[in-house]
Amino acid sequence: MTLFSGILLSIFVAILITENYGYGYWMISRPIFAGPLIGLVMGDLQTGLQVGASVELMFMGVLPIGGSVPPNAQIAGIIGTIYAIQAGSPALGISLALPIGILAQFLIMLAWNINIFLVHKADAAIKEGKTKTLEKLHLAGVIVFFSVFFVASFMAIQFGSEFVKQINDALPVWVSGGLTIASGLLPAIGMAMLLKMMDFKKFWPFFLIGFVLSVYLKLDVLAVSLLGAGVAAGAGALRKGENQTAQNLPTEEGPTDHNLLAKKDLWRVFARSFFSMATINYERYISLGFDYAMIPVLQKLYKDETEYQKALQRHNEFFNCHPYTTNIVMGVSIALEEQKALGKPITDETISSTKTALMGPLSGIGDSVFKATFMTIFAAVGAGLALNGNILGPIIFIVPNIFLNVATRYLGVFWGYKFGVKLIAKMKNSDLIKNFVQGATIVGMMVTGSMVVNFVKIELTAQWDNAGKEIVLQDLINQIFPGLLPLIITLIFYWALMKNKKAIYWLMLACFVIGLLGKLTGIL
């Protein structure tokens, strides 16, 4: 392959893979679809079908749930297909898929960490009221992903399979392992920021409940969210007998009769939501993408520059949710922001707590229903056809996934907004405001406690022999208090943030130092 051909193919590959984070999450980079697409470009459709389907089946159970970054199926399938066509051997491309996927982990980790820099630059842009700069910084995340994938693809295509093996083998263990450890620690910063935002001093028992449910009963975030909703509802029911204000709501017209927003504003949020993952990172995940999507409505709602900047700041806090269900949270947040702009008793805490309470269960639904069930079913059917050389295989996979992508984002924004308006209509002029805030905070605290267990990863590797018996330090800690280290790290970060607003920069640096030194010394 000539240098020019290699560059063109690398650009095409980078554009294709970038969709997974940079634009839309359309599933066009999945092996089952991208393999045949690469086959068409390179003039060997049948090899593309065979390799793409085989790699899809290999990686079908390997899903990036939550903040995990497993071996990347997309890059593995695409580069594996290219190698297979170049060598005239589908078996070669399939056999190289796993090492390629493992190496791709570090590429994605690199992009995620670069995006942390963009998020902090966005913080400064918000304080200076530079909306255009904020938007450019977020969209720069697309360039980050494209650049990382282009360079990697070009090197892999130009130098061949042996180059990929050599890089993967030559990367120092302490560097790759240290970055992995740091990636497990960075979410603790986001957790600490949530605790600071949701009045941890008052609601800490619910945080502890969520932590205990996940660490001892092994409940996931979705289960804890549902239990949190039950606890909040129960607490509300107990208060109901003491205060009947909520039963005597005024019958005046709801806020839908004097909205500040029009449908075109919601359409703009819908369109921008396809870029919500462009700056996904280990510290705040898709917070900046959420902020970017909300800009059109925030600009229209808040003409006062100070209020507008405050709105941008509260939506650039930690947020992690499946891209298909994120729009529901956006819709509800839009409704809350509109009522706040209308002068209704909606506080910053109400909006932040609502987002936190919703993202847990909605993320769980997205991961379990859309990723692990919906996508897998159509991938399995499509792969079966593709292995037999049937071009309908990738089509059967991609069509329902594109429909799901568009439909969930549209319904999320418009139905979420409608639901949010009705919710606020019932809450105004009653004690439901206070009850709702407390209920949302309870769920949010329990979800955060669960997320500490599920997102913050750190384990001690130190061990020694005692009378011929191997003693593992982490096992001893787990017997006494499992999940202790993630909890301690998160609480230390929370304490640091409470003491110093700029501590976040030092905490980010500390994560990398701990990771690299921990791996180098063998402690972690």
Side-chain angles (χ1 to χ4, degrees):
M1 182 177 291
T2 65
L3 177 62
F4 183 68
S5 297
I7 293 175
L8 288 180
L9 183 57
S10 299
I11 291 174
F12 179 73
V13 169
I15 292 174
L16 197 60
I17 301 176
T18 299
E19 68 86 19
N20 194 46
Y21 290 108
Y23 61 94
Y25 207 68
W26 298 101
M27 299 294 175
I28 60 175
S29 61
R30 290 296 303 184
I32 181 63
F33 186 81
L37 196 58
I38 292 294
L40 279 174
V41 172
M42 299 185 68
D44 191 346
L45 176 60
Q46 289 302 312
T47 298
L49 285 167
Q50 184 177 352
V51 176
S54 299
V55 176
E56 185 69 47
L57 293 172
M58 287 173 57
F59 285 86
M60 188 167 289
V62 182
L63 301 173
I65 303 297
S68 65
V69 183
N72 187 269
Q74 286 87 341
I75 298 178
I78 292 174
I79 301 300
T81 300
I82 293 173
Y83 286 158
I85 294 174
Q86 285 180 329
S89 171
L92 174 64
I94 296 170
S95 64
L96 287 174
L98 185 58
I100 293 172
I102 293 175
L103 181 59
Q105 283 180 285
F106 300 108
L107 298 176
I108 296 173
M109 289 166 58
L110 173 63
W112 280 40
N113 284 311
I114 293 175
N115 284 343
I116 294 177
F117 169 77
L118 297 179
V119 171
H120 286 288
K121 294 289 290 184
D123 287 336
I126 291 173
K127 292 180 180 179
E128 297 172 5
K130 298 180 178 179
T131 301
K132 293 296 183 183
T133 301
L134 170 65
E135 294 173 329
K136 291 177 181 178
L137 285 168
H138 177 64
L139 294 178
V142 179
I143 300 176
V144 170
F145 279 112
F146 172 84
S147 301
V148 169
F149 293 143
F150 169 77
V151 172
S153 299
F154 177 75
M155 295 175 71
I157 293 170
Q158 196 65 23
F159 298 101
S161 59
E162 189 60 32
F163 173 78
V164 175
K165 290 182 177 179
Q166 290 176 358
I167 292 295
N168 198 29
D169 295 339
L171 195 65
V173 175
W174 72 274
V175 174
S176 60
L179 291 176
T180 300
I181 294 171
S183 299
L185 289 174
L186 284 168
I189 299 177
M191 303 298 110
M193 292 173 68
L194 283 175
L195 295 180
K196 177 184 176 183
M197 183 173 54
M198 291 192 297
D199 195 3
F200 176 71
K201 292 182 179 180
K202 179 179 179 181
F203 290 94
W204 68 265
F206 299 101
F207 168 83
L208 181 60
I209 291 173
F211 177 85
V212 169
L213 288 173
S214 285
V215 77
Y216 286 103
L217 299 184
K218 308 301 181 184
L219 298 184
D220 58 19
V221 175
L222 175 58
V224 173
S225 300
L226 295 174
L227 284 173
V231 171
L238 292 176
R239 288 193 298 265
K240 188 175 181 181
E242 301 175 2
N243 193 336
Q244 298 297 322
T245 307
Q247 298 179 4
N248 301 305
L249 294 178
T251 57
E252 60 185 280
E253 294 180 340
T256 53
D257 295 322
H258 48 274
N259 288 353
L260 298 176
L261 300 173
K263 283 189 176 181
K264 65 179 182 180
D265 301 312
L266 301 183
W267 276 110
R268 293 178 67 189
V269 174
F270 163 76
R272 284 173 169 244
S273 71
F274 287 96
F275 297 90
S276 63
M277 297 178 68
T279 48
I280 189 170
N281 62 88
Y282 286 111
E283 182 184 312
R284 299 188 214 172
Y285 286 76
I286 62 172
S287 64
L288 187 55
F290 195 102
D291 217 9
Y292 172 80
M294 292 284 290
I295 285 176
V297 298
L298 297 180
Q299 284 182 320
K300 188 168 184 179
L301 292 175
Y302 299 109
K303 302 303 181 182
D304 180 79
E305 188 67 19
T306 300
E307 290 299 319
Y308 172 63
Q309 291 177 17
K310 287 175 61 179
L312 288 176
Q313 288 175 340
R314 63 174 163 266
H315 288 296
N316 197 27
E317 299 294 344
F318 179 92
F319 185 83
N320 182 41
C321 194
H322 190 280
Y324 291 175
T325 53
T326 290
N327 285 27
I328 299 175
V329 187
M330 288 182 183
V332 174
S333 297
I334 291 170
L336 291 170
E337 292 287 1
E338 183 179 48
Q339 294 307 301
K340 179 178 174 64
L342 285 168
K344 301 301 187 294
I346 305 297
T347 65
D348 294 356
E349 184 185 30
T350 303
I351 299 171
S352 298
S353 297
T354 301
K355 286 176 59 180
T356 304
L358 289 176
M359 72 178 177
L362 290 177
S363 183
I365 291 172
D367 289 335
S368 61
V369 176
F370 298 147
K371 282 184 181 176
T373 303
F374 187 93
M375 185 189 75
T376 299
I377 290 174
F378 287 100
V381 174
L385 292 172
L387 285 174
N388 294 323
N390 194 330
I391 190 61
L392 289 177
I395 295 175
I396 287 176
F397 168 78
I398 199 64
V399 170
N401 276 285
I402 289 179
F403 173 79
L404 179 69
N405 189 3
V406 176
T408 53
R409 290 180 190 271
Y410 170 80
L411 295 176
V413 171
F414 284 85
W415 283 11
Y417 172 72
K418 183 178 180 181
F419 167 79
V421 169
K422 290 184 177 180
L423 174 66
I424 303 306
K426 292 181 179 180
M427 288 167 56
K428 66 178 183 178
N429 298 325
S430 75
D431 286 343
L432 284 177
I433 288 286
K434 178 180 179 181
N435 295 340
F436 177 76
V437 171
Q438 290 184 351
T441 303
I442 287 172
V443 179
M445 276 292 176
M446 291 181 64
V447 168
T448 305
S450 176
M451 287 196 295
V452 168
V453 180
N454 288 279
F455 284 94
V456 182
K457 306 296 181 183
I458 179 173
E459 289 188 354
L460 299 174
T461 58
Q463 57 185 40
W464 62 89
D465 290 330
N466 183 16
K469 182 179 180 181
E470 187 178 67
I471 306 298
V472 180
L473 180 58
Q474 185 63 53
D475 291 342
L476 292 178
I477 294 176
N478 289 340
Q479 292 175 11
I480 301 172
F481 197 144
L484 178 62
L485 292 181
L487 178 63
I488 291 177
I489 289 291
T490 303
L491 293 180
I492 289 176
F493 285 4
Y494 164 74
W495 174 82
L497 289 171
M498 292 297 292
K499 291 294 183 180
N500 187 347
K501 293 182 178 180
K502 295 184 178 181
I504 187 171
Y505 300 102
W506 294 104
L507 295 178
M508 184 174 62
L509 177 62
C511 288
F512 287 99
V513 172
I514 292 172
L516 293 172
L517 291 181
K519 193 64 179 180
L520 183 64
T521 59
I523 297 176
L524 301 176

